[in-house]
mmCIF file of all heavy atoms in Angstrom:
data_model
loop_
_atom_site.group_PDB
_atom_site.id
_atom_site.type_symbol
_atom_site.label_atom_id
_atom_site.label_comp_id
_atom_site.label_asym_id
_atom_site.label_seq_id
_atom_site.Cartn_x
_atom_site.Cartn_y
_atom_site.Cartn_z
ATOM 1 N N ALA A 257 -22.781 -9.610 -0.253
ATOM 2 C CA ALA A 257 -23.632 -9.614 -1.447
ATOM 3 C C ALA A 257 -23.123 -10.747 -2.336
ATOM 4 O O ALA A 257 -21.916 -10.861 -2.566
ATOM 5 C CB ALA A 257 -23.555 -8.277 -2.164
ATOM 6 N N ALA A 258 -24.052 -11.573 -2.800
ATOM 7 C CA ALA A 258 -23.638 -12.767 -3.567
ATOM 8 C C ALA A 258 -24.881 -13.358 -4.252
ATOM 9 O O ALA A 258 -25.919 -12.684 -4.357
ATOM 10 C CB ALA A 258 -22.999 -13.792 -2.624
ATOM 11 N N SER A 259 -24.783 -14.607 -4.676
ATOM 12 C CA SER A 259 -25.948 -15.255 -5.289
ATOM 13 C C SER A 259 -27.036 -15.457 -4.222
ATOM 14 O O SER A 259 -26.747 -15.463 -3.014
ATOM 15 C CB SER A 259 -25.553 -16.624 -5.859
ATOM 16 O OG SER A 259 -25.310 -17.517 -4.792
ATOM 17 N N ALA A 260 -28.256 -15.651 -4.696
ATOM 18 C CA ALA A 260 -29.368 -15.855 -3.752
ATOM 19 C C ALA A 260 -29.121 -17.104 -2.904
ATOM 20 O O ALA A 260 -29.358 -17.100 -1.683
ATOM 21 C CB ALA A 260 -30.675 -15.985 -4.533
ATOM 22 N N ASP A 261 -28.618 -18.147 -3.529
ATOM 23 C CA ASP A 261 -28.422 -19.390 -2.771
ATOM 24 C C ASP A 261 -27.297 -19.249 -1.749
ATOM 25 O O ASP A 261 -27.390 -19.770 -0.636
ATOM 26 C CB ASP A 261 -28.139 -20.560 -3.723
ATOM 27 C CG ASP A 261 -29.429 -21.050 -4.403
ATOM 28 O OD1 ASP A 261 -30.521 -20.755 -3.878
ATOM 29 O OD2 ASP A 261 -29.330 -21.696 -5.460
ATOM 30 N N LEU A 262 -26.227 -18.565 -2.131
ATOM 31 C CA LEU A 262 -25.123 -18.402 -1.174
ATOM 32 C C LEU A 262 -25.603 -17.595 0.041
ATOM 33 O O LEU A 262 -25.352 -17.975 1.193
ATOM 34 C CB LEU A 262 -23.930 -17.724 -1.852
ATOM 35 C CG LEU A 262 -22.651 -17.698 -1.012
ATOM 36 C CD1 LEU A 262 -21.407 -17.790 -1.901
ATOM 37 C CD2 LEU A 262 -22.540 -16.506 -0.090
ATOM 38 N N CYS A 263 -26.319 -16.503 -0.211
ATOM 39 C CA CYS A 263 -26.803 -15.690 0.924
ATOM 40 C C CYS A 263 -27.778 -16.504 1.779
ATOM 41 O O CYS A 263 -27.756 -16.424 3.013
ATOM 42 C CB CYS A 263 -27.473 -14.414 0.416
ATOM 43 S SG CYS A 263 -26.283 -13.244 -0.258
ATOM 44 N N ASP A 264 -28.604 -17.288 1.125
ATOM 45 C CA ASP A 264 -29.570 -18.102 1.861
ATOM 46 C C ASP A 264 -28.847 -19.152 2.714
ATOM 47 O O ASP A 264 -29.238 -19.457 3.844
ATOM 48 C CB ASP A 264 -30.523 -18.773 0.857
ATOM 49 C CG ASP A 264 -31.804 -19.241 1.522
ATOM 50 O OD1 ASP A 264 -32.099 -18.750 2.635
ATOM 51 O OD2 ASP A 264 -32.491 -20.107 0.940
ATOM 52 N N PHE A 265 -27.763 -19.677 2.140
ATOM 53 C CA PHE A 265 -26.942 -20.680 2.843
ATOM 54 C C PHE A 265 -26.351 -20.061 4.118
ATOM 55 O O PHE A 265 -26.471 -20.622 5.210
ATOM 56 C CB PHE A 265 -25.829 -21.135 1.883
ATOM 57 C CG PHE A 265 -24.887 -22.153 2.425
ATOM 58 C CD1 PHE A 265 -25.209 -23.506 2.409
ATOM 59 C CD2 PHE A 265 -23.651 -21.781 2.937
ATOM 60 C CE1 PHE A 265 -24.320 -24.453 2.903
ATOM 61 C CE2 PHE A 265 -22.765 -22.717 3.435
ATOM 62 C CZ PHE A 265 -23.106 -24.062 3.414
ATOM 63 N N VAL A 266 -25.758 -18.875 3.982
ATOM 64 C CA VAL A 266 -25.155 -18.221 5.153
ATOM 65 C C VAL A 266 -26.260 -17.847 6.156
ATOM 66 O O VAL A 266 -26.116 -18.043 7.367
ATOM 67 C CB VAL A 266 -24.327 -16.986 4.727
ATOM 68 C CG1 VAL A 266 -23.814 -16.220 5.943
ATOM 69 C CG2 VAL A 266 -23.152 -17.409 3.844
ATOM 70 N N ARG A 267 -27.366 -17.341 5.647
ATOM 71 C CA ARG A 267 -28.506 -16.983 6.503
ATOM 72 C C ARG A 267 -28.970 -18.184 7.332
ATOM 73 O O ARG A 267 -29.351 -18.075 8.488
ATOM 74 C CB ARG A 267 -29.660 -16.500 5.612
ATOM 75 C CG ARG A 267 -30.884 -15.974 6.323
ATOM 76 C CD ARG A 267 -32.004 -15.668 5.323
ATOM 77 N NE ARG A 267 -32.606 -16.895 4.801
ATOM 78 C CZ ARG A 267 -33.606 -17.543 5.376
ATOM 79 N NH1 ARG A 267 -34.141 -17.076 6.485
ATOM 80 N NH2 ARG A 267 -34.080 -18.669 4.858
ATOM 81 N N SER A 268 -28.889 -19.364 6.698
ATOM 82 C CA SER A 268 -29.425 -20.575 7.334
ATOM 83 C C SER A 268 -28.454 -21.244 8.304
ATOM 84 O O SER A 268 -28.888 -21.999 9.174
ATOM 85 C CB SER A 268 -29.807 -21.595 6.251
ATOM 86 O OG SER A 268 -30.724 -21.011 5.356
#
Side-chain angles (χ1 to χ4, degrees):
S259 71
D261 283 341
L262 189 147
C263 289
D264 199 18
F265 180 83
V266 174
R267 185 186 73 87
S268 304

